[in-house]
Amino acid sequence: MRTEWITIYMQVLDQLKAEIQHYSDENNLFTVLQGTSNSAGNLAMHLVGNIRHFFGAILLENGYIRDREHEFSGRSSRAEILDGITSARQNLIRYFDTADSHSFEEPFPIPFKDQTVTKGYMYLMLLQHFTYHLGQINYHRRTLKP
């Protein structure tokens, strides 16, 4: 099971990394486009925080403390965002190294939207959430590119 999940999560993390690196002006990472409410930089910080929270803090119990407010209102440098992607990658590798095919049916340790769900449900929800925001980041970058 590890190979399948690591492969797809690594692909989307690589895509996020590429998107962040393709901004010619780092300041544009935090430009909010008219009609939207989040910048690409804040969305990237949110995606990294999400992986580090759910896979790191919740599943690995590694002590990561999430600052969701900062993800949406703060600012980080491109280097800090890229470091966060590296940390998220390490969390995913560590987690899926220990998970087996039975983990899909195990209950997720905390409720999700006030419901008890399985880990498999969360693997899919987190991936769907990630790719949704990744598409927004791609659109943001292409819109700003001259």
Side-chain angles (χ1 to χ4, degrees), residues 117-132:
V117 298
T118 64
K119 288 180 182 178
Y121 178 88
M122 286 302 293
Y123 301 161
L124 292 171
M125 284 302 299
L126 292 168
L127 187 60
Q128 180 274 332
H129 174 261
F130 195 103
T131 59
Y132 174 76

Side-chain angles (χ1 to χ4, degrees), residues 26-97:
E26 183 173 334
N27 291 318
N28 283 343
L29 280 168
F30 290 93
T31 298
V32 176
L33 298 175
Q34 184 176 0
T36 67
S37 53
N38 296 304
S39 69
N42 290 115
L43 289 172
M45 290 165 54
H46 172 60
L47 291 175
V48 165
N50 214 41
I51 295 294
R52 293 181 75 190
H53 173 71
F54 285 106
F55 283 95
I58 303 299
L59 292 171
L60 291 171
E61 298 178 341
N62 68 5
Y64 175 76
I65 298 174
R66 186 176 192 182
D67 185 352
R68 196 169 189 279
E69 184 177 324
H70 179 71
E71 293 169 13
F72 287 104
S73 63
R75 245 181 119 104
S76 294
S77 69
R78 182 192 326 249
E80 290 169 324
I81 294 170
L82 295 173
D83 286 347
I85 294 169
T86 299
S87 292
R89 174 184 294 275
Q90 291 166 347
N91 285 180
L92 288 164
I93 291 169
R94 271 189 229 119
Y95 176 73
F96 284 115
D97 270 348

Side-chain angles (χ1 to χ4, degrees), residues 94-108:
R94 271 189 229 119
Y95 176 73
F96 284 115
D97 270 348
T98 63
D100 61 25
S101 59
H102 301 291
S103 72
F104 275 92
E105 299 304 319
E106 295 171 358
F108 195 71

